[in-house]
Amino acid sequence: MKGRFAPSPTGRMHLGNVMSALLSWLSIKSQGGAWLLRIEDIDPQRSKQQFADQIMEDLEWLGLTWDEGPYYQSKRGDIYEQYLNILNEKGLLYLSNKTRAERLAVSAPQGPLPTSPFRGGEQPLKGRYATMLKIDDTIITYIDRHYGEQTIDIKNDIGDFIVRRRDGAWAYQLAVVVDDALMGMTEVVRGRDLLQSAGQQIYLGELLGFSRMEYAHLPLLCNEAGQRLSKRDKSMDLGELRQRYSAEEIIGQLAFFAHLIDKNEPCTPQDLLPLFDWKKVPLDDIMI
């Protein structure tokens, strides 16, 4: 068994990121598995090594230590290129210079029309064309370990999607599918805002010949306005929280939010291992 935490180094972790890390760690460790750390730094404009270093220091401070990694997606471009070429050999790729809004506005049954054939190799006319995956009429159904059966109509709900950006950077969906498969993931734990994204990843993984893994999504932590926490919520990031609370107090608060303990009291991730059960975790988002 192997799970992972895969943060993007675009800022300081906030409390919602820590909740994902904690439940991912507890889920796989309670099954006797290994926990891997992967730094998803494929966005060259926003990713910074200083944020990656801070994420790792914060995780160690919280007691969430990893068994394997860290791996950096920015160093795995040659691997992604190999799998992009597999899709190309299947005739599944084309180039598009449409914006995301323009692609979403297309209503023809066949989806967006190719603007240029894809020929592989170097990204042609960098800055103008994104590499797109052509989607067929496929319904993906999977059982989420927390939210139950999920059904995604890939063509109508999502449509053709990017596998390499117009600036030449690798798209999240391709990188995460390839990495999860090659790194031997057996389960993925993350926020419920990615429930539909799992359908995309299953679809793409099956095109590449990968086996399915299990998914478990968790409720989101939301601010007073009902919006999920983001890196803009500076009062909830680890930089602020570490000045006011101990690591055990933060873990205890999250365990209380997740209904793993009955009262809010300090504890460590190790303390929570015998208490972890997905059935305890609420389905509704959590207001903090």
Side-chain angles (χ1 to χ4, degrees):
M1 302 294 295
K2 188 184 286 187
R4 48 80 160 174
F5 182 53
S8 298
T10 57
R12 196 75 181 261
M13 284 199 300
H14 57 68
L15 206 56
N17 301 136
V18 180
M19 175 70 99
S20 291
L22 175 62
L23 293 192
S24 170
W25 190 92
L26 289 171
S27 181
I28 201 66
K29 289 292 186 177
S30 66
Q31 301 171 72
W35 197 59
L36 175 148
L37 178 64
R38 185 172 71 228
I39 304 297
E40 299 197 333
D41 57 343
I42 51 174
D43 186 334
Q45 296 176 335
R46 300 175 62 221
S47 298
K48 297 186 185 304
Q49 184 63 45
Q50 69 191 66
F51 293 138
D53 293 340
Q54 187 65 70
I55 287 168
M56 289 185 278
E57 199 274 329
D58 283 338
L59 289 172
E60 290 180 327
W61 179 77
L62 290 163
L64 295 169
T65 54
W66 53 96
D67 304 293
E68 188 178 327
Y71 296 102
Y72 288 83
Q73 286 189 327
S74 61
K75 298 179 181 179
R76 296 173 60 80
D78 290 346
I79 297 172
Y80 306 144
E81 189 83 52
Q82 293 173 24
Y83 285 92
L84 189 78
N85 287 332
I86 290 173
L87 296 172
N88 185 42
E89 289 166 4
K90 293 175 179 284
L92 297 174
L93 301 181
Y94 66 89
L95 301 178
S96 175
N97 59 6
K98 296 181 184 299
T99 65
R100 183 172 186 272
E102 289 170 337
R103 292 196 303 274
L104 292 175
V106 173
S107 58
Q110 71 272 21
L113 295 176
T115 56
S116 177
F118 179 83
R119 296 185 178 87
E122 291 295 320
Q123 182 76 357
L125 299 175
K126 185 176 177 180
R128 291 184 56 189
Y129 290 94
T131 304
M132 308 292 299
L133 178 70
K134 290 188 286 189
I135 302 301
D136 61 16
D137 291 311
T138 298
I139 305 295
I140 294 291
T141 299
Y142 73 96
I143 305 298
D144 184 80
R145 291 181 63 193
H146 190 46
Y147 286 97
E149 183 174 302
Q150 305 293 316
T151 300
I152 299 98
D153 183 334
I154 299 295
K155 190 171 188 66
N156 292 319
D157 293 347
I158 298 170
D160 295 3
F161 57 87
I162 292 176
V163 288
R164 195 171 194 180
R165 295 182 349 189
R166 63 175 64 205
D167 63 1
W170 296 101
Y172 166 78
Q173 299 295 3
L174 179 67
V176 75
V177 166
V178 169
D179 284 345
D180 280 345
L182 298 188
M183 294 177 184
M185 295 302 104
T186 58
E187 76 167 24
V188 171
V189 175
R190 59 196 182 182
R192 68 161 189 84
D193 53 323
L194 293 173
L195 272 165
Q196 190 178 69
S197 186
Q200 281 177 276
Q201 290 162 20
I202 290 169
Y203 176 83
L204 178 54
E206 291 181 346
L207 288 177
L208 292 170
F210 298 143
S211 300
R212 288 195 185 194
M213 63 199 72
E214 287 196 309
Y215 290 87
H217 291 80
L218 56 127
L220 305 177
L221 297 188
C222 297
N223 60 24
E224 294 177 352
Q227 303 165 324
R228 70 183 177 95
L229 294 187
S230 73
K231 289 171 181 172
R232 292 185 296 273
D233 293 296
K234 294 299 183 185
S235 64
M236 292 296 167
D237 76 23
L238 266 291
E240 288 286 326
L241 295 173
R242 286 182 61 167
Q243 296 181 42
R244 293 183 281 145
Y245 304 103
S246 68
E248 292 78 12
E249 287 174 320
I250 292 172
I251 294 295
Q253 178 71 77
L254 291 174
F256 180 67
F257 286 153
H259 296 182
L260 300 181
I261 55 177
D262 295 328
K263 61 179 181 178
N264 184 2
E265 57 186 9
C267 60
T268 68
Q270 288 287 347
D271 294 334
L272 297 171
L273 273 176
L275 305 176
F276 180 77
D277 188 336
W278 276 109
K279 293 177 182 176
K280 296 180 181 178
V281 179
L283 294 170
D284 294 334
D285 291 343
I286 301 164
M287 302 288 289
I288 63 173

